[in-house]
Amino acid sequence: MKFAKLSLAALMALGVSAFATDVKVDGDVKLYYGTNDADAWTGALLPHPNGVQDDGTTGGDLFGQHNSYANAAFRIGLTAKDMPAGLTGRLSLTYLDTFGLEDSIVDDTWAGNGVGASVWFDEANLKATLFDKTTVIAGRQYLDTPLVFSEKWNIAANSYDAAVVVDQHIEKTALVAGWIWRSNINGAATVQGNDRIVGALGGTPTQESAFDNYFDTFGKHGAYAVGAVTNLIPMTTAQAWYYNVDSVADAYWLQADVTPEIGEGMKLVIGGQFAGTQLSGGDEDATVWAAKIGGEFAGLKLSAAYSSVDEGDLGFANVGGAQSKLYTEAWWNYGYVSAPDTDAVNVTAEYSFADIADFGAYYTATDSNDQGRDLTEFALTVGKNFGAFDTMLAYVYTDAEDQNNDDSYNTLQVYLTYNF
Amino acid sequence: MGLLLAVTLTAGQYATLKDGTVIILKDDGTWEKVTPQKSVPKVGQPQAEAVNAPAQEKVQPRQGEKVVDPLAARYAERLQGLWRSDDGRERLEISGKRALFVSGRTRRGGPFEIEKIDAQKGAFTLVIGETERVGKFAFGGMRRRFVFEGADKLVDPEGGLLPVTLRRQKR
């Protein structure tokens, strides 16, 4: 099967190159490693309830095999412009593997449904400009909308089989209509169909759960989305979206972000979000509001945000994953701030020292009326680019009522990426 | 107008295209065709067409030396510095011959090149970290198509659902 897929990729690449006048080849190799000192934790593959170490003792051990997870991924993509009829083609193949690390330094994976290798096309689409300012992208692609988007935190991003039309005939405004029929859901447990969608919207904290080459129907019969994004109001980006996951759920999302200049090199950032979800045949609709205030001062980015999700059947996480677009979203523990009946705060500070490194500090806390769902997370990151090599080191302090027997624990993560 | 053709820069302001057309390069990245005027020579002034004179001093590149499109060099110079998108999600740093592009948790760095310049519109393609080019295949790197709007504003018309605007920042 894998050979069949690779052969198909080669054929498509040859086909693309035969017609196109301009072909770009891009890709990357990634190695992501994480370790924690939790006594009990849940990995992408397995629950690790007892923290049993190699020497038979119990208890979490940072860098211990039982408390570590890793994956390597290889991705290669082709973009062909100026194909016949002015089409642009995009093809990208992802290869995810554990490379035997499970036999030596780790006991779980960063992503994927099992130990070993998976191969899949994360992108395979055609882009056409129908009229002067109307574009259609059809096929497997990455999406970026408030409730359906591709998540970039993982070693591979989730993608969607979709058809999307974007019209820009109105000045400074984009009108979007999309039909989504399949996806591989990033970070959500691999339960099927309806439950999977509801699980994702509900924001269950399963960010380390498996996903890879398994593309399944979105809900029962797919979903559609329409939206409008505009910059007509000066210094403001406003957007409105409506989603219908056929026979499963409806949702809407409103957002406005204002970024006035308040001085030379200083910018204020003020944002507001309001959204709602409704489960078909459910008992209670849910709404959320969130606000953010922050600023950028000489390279320093600071922001504080608050969100409040009321009671309801569904939450506000990505339908195709685990993360949410709420201003208060945590750095690592996704699914908490977006869950029903939850208030959350987030404080973020990021600073880039020129020619040294990028530093980030992120604090998130939630207060849930759902018993045993409160979270406190504090994350520190440092990232440095060495030309084609990109590196990031992250420390995450997690204190969640539903993790590690309600005890706090520490996580270290190493992100290595080679771009080519 | 084939700006892709060999361009000879004169005194940092004027360029002569291969077809003989003389243009003036403006600070905002646009250009304008000019007509060389013969000036009446004053005593002691060399008799030459003012704008074409430096073209006669064209320096041939040495063997193995990469020929740098002077217009691209000029664009690269204008790009030097720190740029941020209005929504704060993207950051572009250009320092000397290297560039760093940051979007969320994604960083992409390396040597950069300027190509496909449309000087009339101030448009160009920024290529970061390309490793090889063979025929119609370009390997590696990332590409963004930008348009200069004034000295301190870059716009990528296809950067997102709406054009993405990056503004020059003070460090």
Side-chain angles (χ1 to χ4, degrees):
Chain A
M1 190 62 186
K2 288 171 190 168
F3 286 113
K5 286 178 181 175
L6 287 170
S7 299
L8 180 61
L11 284 172
M12 290 182 75
L14 285 171
V16 160
S17 64
F19 288 109
T21 58
D22 197 5
V23 180
K24 311 295 184 195
V25 183
D26 64 279
D28 48 55
V29 180
K30 294 179 179 177
L31 177 65
Y32 285 9
Y33 167 82
T35 185
N36 63 60
D37 62 2
D39 292 334
W41 60 288
T42 301
L45 284 182
L46 301 166
H48 301 263
N50 298 318
V52 180
Q53 301 303 305
D54 295 339
D55 60 5
T57 59
T58 57
D61 184 13
L62 215 57
F63 301 109
Q65 183 173 352
H66 187 78
N67 281 73
S68 302
Y69 47 98
N71 260 117
F74 170 81
R75 184 189 61 80
I76 186 165
L78 288 175
T79 303
K81 292 189 173 180
D82 301 328
M83 292 170 66
L87 296 175
T88 295
R90 172 73 184 164
L91 193 65
S92 177
L93 190 74
T94 289
Y95 174 82
L96 182 69
D97 204 344
T98 50
F99 282 114
L101 296 172
E102 68 277 9
D103 293 328
S104 51
I105 62 170
V106 301
D107 243 8
D108 213 307
T109 61
W110 194 290
N113 280 322
V115 171
S118 303
V119 183
W120 73 97
F121 285 110
D122 53 300
E123 292 176 278
N125 60 69
L126 287 173
K127 178 181 176 183
T129 301
L130 294 184
F131 309 105
D132 183 28
K133 295 178 180 177
T134 304
T135 304
V136 177
I137 304 178
R140 187 160 298 176
Q141 59 191 287
Y142 293 129
L143 296 179
D144 189 12
T145 78
L147 282 170
V148 178
F149 59 95
S150 299
E151 301 183 4
K152 303 295 178 68
W153 59 269
N154 209 337
I155 194 165
N158 55 306
S159 49
Y160 301 83
D161 291 341
V164 179
V165 182
V166 180
D167 183 89
Q168 294 178 311
H169 279 88
I170 301 173
E171 186 189 7
K172 297 181 179 179
T173 301
L175 303 176
V176 185
W179 172 251
I180 306 150
W181 64 91
R182 293 201 311 169
S183 77
N184 60 343
I185 290 188
N186 201 343
T190 50
V191 294
Q192 301 296 311
N194 198 12
D195 289 342
R196 194 162 73 147
I197 296 296
V198 172
L201 271 170
T204 49
T206 54
Q207 79 280 4
E208 293 168 342
S209 295
F211 98 105
D212 55 14
N213 57 354
Y214 181 66
F215 280 76
D216 194 17
T217 304
F218 216 66
K220 290 181 178 175
H221 312 290
Y224 69 83
V226 292
V229 186
T230 183
N231 286 336
L232 278 173
I233 305 168
M235 297 177 292
T236 302
T237 299
Q239 51 185 314
W241 296 87
Y242 172 77
Y243 303 85
N244 177 263
V245 184
D246 192 9
S247 306
V248 177
D250 294 274
Y252 61 89
W253 185 286
L254 306 170
Q255 180 171 334
D257 298 279
V258 188
T259 54
E261 296 274 352
I262 55 173
E264 196 171 355
M266 294 189 290
K267 186 188 290 181
L268 202 59
V269 179
I270 303 167
Q273 297 171 322
F274 185 79
T277 54
Q278 179 181 31
L279 179 67
S280 299
D283 296 326
E284 196 168 4
D285 302 350
T287 58
V288 59
W289 68 270
K292 178 174 82 170
I293 185 163
E296 295 178 26
F297 316 96
L300 173 66
K301 286 175 66 179
L302 279 173
S303 67
Y306 176 84
S307 67
S308 179
V309 186
D310 67 9
E311 288 185 71
D313 298 313
L314 299 173
F316 293 89
N318 178 18
V319 182
Q323 213 173 12
S324 84
K325 291 274 191 179
L326 291 173
Y327 296 134
T328 50
E329 185 56 283
W331 194 86
W332 176 249
N333 289 280
Y334 303 134
Y336 286 88
V337 307
S338 55
D341 212 3
T342 301
D343 297 335
V345 294
N346 173 276
V347 178
T348 291
E350 295 175 333
Y351 187 74
S352 173
F353 281 98
D355 302 324
I356 300 177
D358 295 338
F359 295 88
Y362 312 86
Y363 171 79
T364 305
T366 68
D367 180 13
S368 172
N369 287 327
D370 186 3
Q371 197 70 26
R373 289 276 291 156
D374 288 350
L375 164 79
T376 300
E377 178 194 282
F378 179 64
L380 291 171
T381 64
V382 56
K384 172 73 175 172
N385 184 272
F386 301 92
F389 281 101
D390 194 72
T391 60
M392 185 169 71
L393 185 66
Y395 163 78
V396 185
Y397 167 86
T398 303
D399 187 0
E401 288 182 329
D402 59 349
Q403 294 188 52
N404 193 30
N405 306 316
D406 196 11
D407 198 5
S408 64
Y409 66 97
N410 304 289
T411 300
L412 284 175
Q413 296 176 339
V414 180
Y415 299 73
L416 302 175
T417 303
Y418 171 71
N419 296 299
F420 63 88
Chain B
M1 185 90 56
L3 265 181
L4 218 59
L5 305 175
V7 177
T8 307
L9 194 66
T10 71
Q13 293 294 326
Y14 294 94
T16 306
L17 304 183
K18 197 173 183 181
D19 63 2
T21 305
V22 179
I23 61 173
I24 181 171
L25 303 173
K26 299 179 179 178
D27 287 340
D28 62 3
T30 61
W31 59 273
E32 190 177 308
K33 182 180 175 183
V34 296
T35 305
Q37 299 289 324
K38 285 187 179 180
S39 56
V40 178
K42 295 178 183 175
V43 176
Q45 185 177 14
Q47 295 185 31
E49 292 183 3
V51 294
N52 278 333
Q56 297 163 5
E57 299 166 6
K58 181 179 176 183
V59 178
Q60 295 298 324
R62 296 171 187 154
Q63 191 172 8
E65 189 178 60
K66 190 173 182 182
V67 179
V68 178
D69 179 349
L71 197 55
R74 193 174 172 81
Y75 273 60
E77 191 179 329
R78 290 188 59 200
L79 272 175
Q80 297 292 318
L82 173 65
W83 304 77
R84 272 190 196 280
S85 63
D86 281 348
D87 62 7
R89 293 168 67 178
E90 296 187 359
R91 188 177 97 231
L92 175 65
E93 285 183 51
I94 307 283
S95 179
K97 295 180 179 179
R98 303 188 71 81
L100 174 65
F101 177 78
V102 181
S103 177
R105 297 185 190 184
T106 303
R107 276 187 300 273
R108 193 67 194 259
F112 75 94
E113 289 183 30
I114 306 291
E115 59 180 37
K116 296 184 178 175
I117 298 172
D118 182 341
Q120 194 96 55
K121 296 177 180 174
F124 64 95
T125 298
L126 174 66
V127 183
I128 301 174
E130 183 177 286
T131 53
E132 191 65 62
R133 195 168 293 200
V134 181
K136 60 188 177 184
F137 284 87
F139 294 89
M142 63 160 286
R143 285 157 184 78
R144 289 289 292 265
R145 184 79 177 159
F146 287 114
V147 180
F148 270 119
E149 291 190 2
D152 298 323
K153 186 176 169 185
L154 281 175
V155 177
D156 178 353
E158 298 184 357
L161 289 174
L162 291 174
V164 173
T165 300
L166 286 83
R167 294 177 200 276
R168 189 185 296 277
Q169 305 290 308
K170 295 231 168 186
R171 285 186 185 272

